[in-house]
Amino acid sequence: FYSYYLALGTGARRFHVSAAFSAKAKVAMSRFEPSSTINYEKMHENINIVRRRLSRPLTLSEKIVYGHLDDPAGQEIDRGRTYLRLRPDRVAMQDATAQMAMLQFISSGLPRVAVPSTIHCDHLIEAQIGGPEDLQRAKEVNEEVYNFLATAAAKYGVGFWKPGSGIIHQIILENYAYPGVMLIGTDSHTPNGGGLGSICIGVGGADAVDVMAGIPWELKCPNVIGVKLTGSLSGWTSPKDVILKVAGILTVKGGTGAIVEYHGPGIWCRMATICNMGAEIGATTSIFPYNHRMKTYMEKTGRGEISAVADHFKDDLVPDNGCEYDQVIEINLSELKPHINGPFTPDLCHPVSEIGATAKKNGWPLEVKVGLIGSCTNSSYEDMGRAASLAKQALDKGLKCKAQFTVTPGSEQIRATIERDGYSKILSDVGGIVLANACGPCIGQWDRKDVKKGEKNTIVTSYNRNFTARNDANPATHAFVTSPEIVTAMAIAGTLDFNPETDYLTAANGEKFKLEAPTGDELPSRDFDPGQDTYQYPPAEGSSVMVNVSPTSNRLQLLEPFDTWQGKDLEGMRILIKVKGKCTTDHISAAGPWLKFRGHLDNISNNMLIGAVNIDNDAVNKVKNLLTGKFGGVPDVARHYKANGVNWVVVGDENYGEGSSREHAALEPRHLGGRAIIVKSFARIHETNLKKQGLLPLTFDDAKDYDKIRPDDKISITGLPSLVPGKPLTAVIEHSDGSQESITLNHTFNETQLEWFRAGSALNRMKELQ
């Protein structure tokens, strides 16, 4: 059968598909870009070329990824080993990362983006009072940045979603994602779009610049982890529980270098939520196969023409029979129970029925201070409806939330629709505050007043990430991640040890009652209300648009090229900090109040590694200046070393750079004089970001060598002039007592990436090639 299928791929079937496609008018990728059309035919041809070469069935992930190869006939393909050169269809940037991405694009000297691209203003709106008030304040506080992004978008042909539009990933789901598209986005939760059968990958801004410049984009050929879903969800169990369970199985780095591909008879659930939080297991992205629920959603969001064409190419949008995965996990949804993960890491997995006992055992606060629902992970119409169904039950019994309760709509369309259909009123009546259509507390944009910094407390959220101090800048906040339904129930009960499947609440009249399992319509029966129009089309010709960056601004700063490598080994480098334990991009470049400096490299560099724990003294932001003998903040010591011509390195632990895609975590050490980051292992996006900025991301050949390095050592890295792909480097460690020892360091540079290092950065190399 399979050989027959191969034959059809280049013969009768190919003719039939091509004829079907040609019979239809070209279909636009989105209503905002009528001249940019979907090219399923090209993807289909590429898939057939690769299938003939590999002579085996392909996973869905492989079909879409290989379908976007720059050279499908000549590209070396080996899962987990070779680097692929790809042609993504589009780029999306949120406003915090778009600042640096656009500054880099401006530095490239190119006149206009080569692929459809968008900017989304969602990160700079702080939750304080409520949606309208917070949005207005954000427009005033961030006027300079919004003006820069709006004019840069107009000048270079980029679509601009104004503040208040909604969260980038929900906007993409509603307007830009479709089965088979390849989209890269400057945010780690870009994989949200996999819920519509898309390959959507989070990257740093320099990668986005490559794609916007029309340069093939590099990605290490991903492995494919298959998650087979059987059975069906019911009662209190939700799609969030699927990914919480998967995170518990794979841990925060178990998906590194792989695409997670869901398949099996149980895939009929809210798919975007599951794909979104795949970022928490380090996965390159996650994806579901094309199915009738995707088709219905696209029709409901005005994209019926796309789903009609997708129907003709459906064989390319599902996995081949007999395809093989590198690892397979099976989950029976009928047996899955509600879960809650945390605190402090999204892979610490607990059944809701056990969290109370576990919290008591570990001394975690049981009182829920705040419940927060929404975010890019869980702000669908169905999410809001299910939460409202629980709130309505409480109100009918005379109850309101014992905990504070916030609601974050994912987009203006969701906000307008849940307001029209009464959900907003129910959630407000039970005690909820409806926040702006933005990221808000999920990314630390939360002016929290109910607890003092350092006060131990518990919050529960339907968000995706719960690293230390992420939501409210308080390292003593125990943040737990669960479904909107469980958040709402716990906010009503006011305690972490409330299991809604078994526990009772007390009504206002004293009677005991149990909450019935939540219900909610998947999609609105009256279609979506689009709300306010918040999109700015780029002009057909933007060359006359002025983009101003004041030299005295503390928010924006034009970029200066980094220095080039001098062709020699790096000798006598100081250890800026030897990091102890988990070091996420939040530790390396904090968000929250620092977001306002994302367009000003020098100012934001003052937050570099201020959250990392120094192994020398178990303190944060306190390292010894080995030139003066005094202790100081990490960025202050780095600046002193740089001013005195001293290169430095950072030494770290496992999965260094886990979390957000923020390339500032790579830009800042490069700007302040860093040369190498030496760790046990890296998170994918961060390792690439370091390479893009001309740093050396290196890993210990023997993880135990981490213990050999002392904070007052000097390190020399030898072998750089003869560095080639696959050839390790040597680090000579010089201890303060005069003794020396050598260790082996590995790297994953390919030849193109080595050119970035030699040129000083990928952007420098791009300019050399112009």
Side-chain angles (χ1 to χ4, degrees):
F1 169 80
Y2 185 66
S3 60
Y4 176 67
Y5 180 79
L6 280 174
L8 281 179
T10 56
R13 182 178 178 279
R14 178 179 175 184
F15 174 79
H16 168 73
V17 171
S18 298
F21 185 81
S22 299
K24 288 185 165 288
K26 290 285 187 179
V27 175
M29 293 173 67
S30 83
R31 64 188 176 92
F32 301 104
E33 298 136 357
S35 62
S36 296
T37 55
I38 294 172
N39 196 347
Y40 278 138
E41 191 171 41
K42 174 63 174 175
M43 187 175 84
H44 179 72
E45 291 173 357
N46 286 1
I47 291 169
N48 282 332
I49 291 169
V50 173
R51 187 187 279 114
R52 286 197 302 271
R53 289 180 56 203
L54 299 182
S55 298
R56 62 170 174 80
L58 301 178
T59 67
L60 169 60
S61 308
E62 290 181 302
K63 287 182 177 182
I64 302 177
V65 172
Y66 303 161
H68 286 81
L69 285 169
D70 183 51
D71 179 15
Q75 170 73 60
E76 185 182 5
I77 299 170
D78 185 3
R79 289 198 324 214
R81 187 182 70 81
T82 58
Y83 281 86
L84 307 179
R85 291 168 64 82
L86 301 165
R87 293 283 185 177
D89 297 301
R90 65 181 311 120
V91 172
M93 301 166 278
Q94 41 94 336
D95 52 352
T97 51
Q99 295 170 65
M100 193 56 65
M102 292 309 295
L103 286 165
Q104 291 177 89
F105 189 82
I106 291 169
S107 295
S108 75
L110 297 169
R112 196 171 177 87
V113 296
V115 301
S117 303
T118 50
I119 292 170
H120 305 258
C121 295
D122 62 359
H123 269 57
L124 300 179
I125 303 169
E126 184 181 51
Q128 192 177 80
I129 300 170
E133 300 90 344
D134 294 344
L135 176 58
Q136 183 55 40
R137 189 178 65 258
K139 289 179 178 178
E140 294 167 2
V141 171
N142 302 305
E143 182 180 10
E144 180 186 18
V145 170
Y146 291 149
N147 180 62
F148 165 74
L149 292 174
T151 54
K155 186 174 184 68
Y156 297 104
V158 176
F160 181 70
W161 288 86
K162 301 171 187 176
S165 302
I167 304 172
I168 177 174
H169 312 302
Q170 183 67 25
I171 296 293
I172 288 171
L173 204 66
E174 293 170 354
N175 299 282
Y176 299 116
Y178 60 83
V181 72
M182 175 175 274
L183 177 152
I184 70 164
T186 60
D187 190 278
S188 56
H189 292 103
T190 301
N192 191 75
L196 264 182
S198 310
I199 287 290
C200 298
I201 301 175
V203 299
D207 276 349
V209 171
D210 280 356
V211 180
M212 290 191 291
I215 297 171
W217 173 62
E218 283 199 340
L219 176 72
K220 182 176 258 189
C221 189
N223 289 317
V224 188
I225 297 173
V227 178
K228 184 177 181 180
L229 302 179
T230 61
S232 59
L233 296 172
S234 62
W236 283 89
T237 310
S238 76
K240 189 64 164 277
D241 299 306
V242 177
I243 186 58
L244 293 176
K245 181 70 173 177
V246 170
I249 295 169
L250 288 176
T251 78
V252 290
K253 67 173 189 173
T256 303
I259 294 176
V260 179
E261 184 172 310
Y262 292 85
H263 63 283
I267 60 171
W268 320 113
C269 54
R270 296 195 301 285
M271 297 164 280
T273 289
I274 296 171
C275 293
N276 176 291
M277 209 177 147
E280 271 49 73
I281 56 174
T284 300
T285 193
S286 302
I287 192 170
F288 278 77
Y290 181 49
N291 57 66
H292 71 273
R293 295 184 77 164
M294 294 181 188
K295 180 180 176 69
T296 301
Y297 181 78
M298 286 193 291
E299 289 170 347
K300 278 282 190 178
T301 51
R303 292 173 290 167
E305 283 189 325
I306 296 178
S307 61
V309 180
D311 286 342
H312 286 289
F313 287 86
K314 185 175 180 179
D315 286 347
D316 292 335
L317 304 172
V318 297
D320 286 342
N321 291 327
C323 67
E324 294 187 0
Y325 298 101
D326 296 285
Q327 178 182 353
V328 176
I329 296 167
E330 292 195 27
I331 296 178
N332 185 339
L333 302 181
S334 300
E335 298 174 354
L336 187 65
K337 301 298 275 182
H339 278 69
I340 184 168
N341 288 19
F344 306 126
T345 184
D347 61 344
L348 186 57
C349 183
H350 322 274
V352 168
S353 59
E354 299 175 9
I355 188 61
T358 303
K360 291 171 187 174
K361 178 182 176 182
N362 289 286
W364 301 335
L366 286 178
E367 180 189 3
V368 174
K369 287 286 190 181
V370 192
L372 306 100
I373 66 168
S375 85
C376 63
T377 320
N378 278 110
S379 60
S380 70
Y381 184 80
E382 186 176 4
D383 285 327
M384 295 300 174
R386 285 169 66 90
S389 75
L390 299 173
K392 181 70 164 56
Q393 292 180 54
L395 289 168
D396 289 346
K397 297 293 185 179
L399 297 184
K400 289 193 174 186
C401 291
K402 288 185 178 179
Q404 291 185 40
F405 187 48
T406 70
V407 180
T408 303
S411 68
E412 170 61 8
Q413 179 169 276
I414 291 292
R415 183 209 61 77
T417 306
I418 65 172
E419 185 173 304
R420 180 197 68 191
D421 293 351
Y423 292 168
S424 292
K425 185 176 189 310
I426 294 170
L427 294 169
S428 296
D429 287 349
V430 84
I433 297 173
V434 179
L435 300 174
N437 312 324
C439 300
C442 183
I443 60 160
Q445 284 285 47
W446 184 15
D447 185 22
R448 189 179 180 191
K449 302 291 190 185
D450 63 301
V451 297
K452 296 179 181 178
K453 190 168 183 178
E455 182 180 340
K456 198 173 177 182
N457 74 100
T458 284
I459 64 173
V460 291
T461 83
S462 70
Y463 302 162
N464 41 44
R465 216 162 257 171
N466 59 344
F467 303 139
T468 302
R470 176 174 174 87
N471 301 122
D472 62 0
N474 181 6
T477 293
H478 293 55
F480 294 86
V481 175
T482 185
S483 68
E485 300 94 312
I486 297 298
V487 171
T488 304
M490 287 183 172
I492 293 167
T495 182
L496 191 64
D497 61 353
F498 178 71
N499 179 6
E501 289 189 301
T502 59
D503 296 346
Y504 287 81
L505 295 168
T506 303
N509 64 4
E511 73 170 289
K512 300 287 186 179
F513 75 99
K514 278 174 60 177
L515 291 170
E516 295 179 5
T519 59
D521 293 335
E522 180 181 351
L523 295 166
S525 59
R526 291 189 284 164
D527 293 336
F528 285 105
D529 182 337
Q532 298 179 42
D533 183 4
T534 55
Y535 180 75
Q536 171 187 291
Y537 286 86
E541 170 55 55
S543 60
S544 62
V545 176
M546 295 297 295
V547 181
N548 293 319
V549 176
S550 169
T552 60
S553 172
N554 71 348
R555 298 288 300 268
L556 297 166
Q557 180 186 48
L558 293 174
L559 296 175
E560 295 291 333
F562 289 132
D563 61 343
T564 59
W565 175 58
Q566 298 300 302
K568 301 181 293 186
D569 288 334
L570 295 168
E571 299 181 346
M573 296 184 290
R574 288 293 188 178
I575 312 293
L576 177 65
I577 182 173
K578 183 179 179 183
V579 178
K580 178 181 179 180
K582 185 187 281 282
C583 190
T584 71
T585 49
D586 281 79
H587 294 86
I588 304 167
S589 178
W594 292 94
L595 284 171
K596 61 180 173 284
F597 297 125
R598 283 283 179 87
H600 197 294
L601 179 55
D602 194 55
N603 282 347
I604 199 169
S605 293
N606 290 322
N607 78 357
M608 186 191 70
L609 286 159
I610 62 174
V613 176
N614 180 7
I615 199 170
D616 196 29
N617 54 13
D618 283 335
V620 295
N621 202 28
K622 187 178 181 181
V623 295
K624 190 173 185 179
N625 185 325
L626 297 168
L627 299 184
T628 66
K630 298 178 180 179
F631 281 88
V634 183
D636 300 322
V637 174
R639 287 184 187 277
H640 188 259
Y641 286 166
K642 181 180 179 181
N644 286 274
V646 175
N647 293 326
W648 52 263
V649 304
V650 170
V651 177
D653 211 315
E654 295 280 5
N655 208 32
Y656 185 90
E658 169 192 345
S660 173
S661 68
R662 66 192 65 158
E663 66 180 341
H664 295 78
L667 283 159
E668 292 171 30
R670 182 72 166 97
H671 175 63
L672 294 185
R675 294 297 176 182
I677 311 293
I678 305 169
V679 302
K680 294 179 183 177
S681 64
F682 284 103
R684 174 190 65 86
I685 299 176
H686 187 60
E687 182 180 23
T688 301
N689 286 346
L690 292 168
K691 292 177 182 178
K692 286 279 187 178
Q693 304 308 333
L695 281 150
L696 289 167
L698 305 171
T699 55
F700 295 105
D701 185 61
D702 182 349
K704 293 191 291 292
D705 286 343
Y706 169 89
D707 299 319
K708 294 179 179 178
I709 297 179
R710 306 167 192 168
D712 61 351
D713 287 341
K714 290 182 179 179
I715 287 186
S716 298
I717 296 176
T718 64
L720 290 175
S722 59
L723 183 59
V724 294
K727 181 180 178 181
L729 291 163
T730 298
V732 179
I733 307 168
E734 181 183 339
H735 300 304
S736 57
D737 61 8
S739 62
Q740 291 187 353
E741 52 187 318
S742 296
I743 60 173
T744 299
L745 300 176
N746 296 323
H747 68 90
T748 60
F749 282 99
N750 61 27
E751 189 52 53
T752 298
Q753 294 166 347
L754 285 174
E755 291 173 356
W756 302 341
F757 169 69
R758 296 177 188 123
S761 72
L763 192 57
N764 288 0
R765 180 58 179 161
M766 184 189 297
K767 289 181 178 179
E768 288 178 357
L769 295 173
Q770 285 183 21

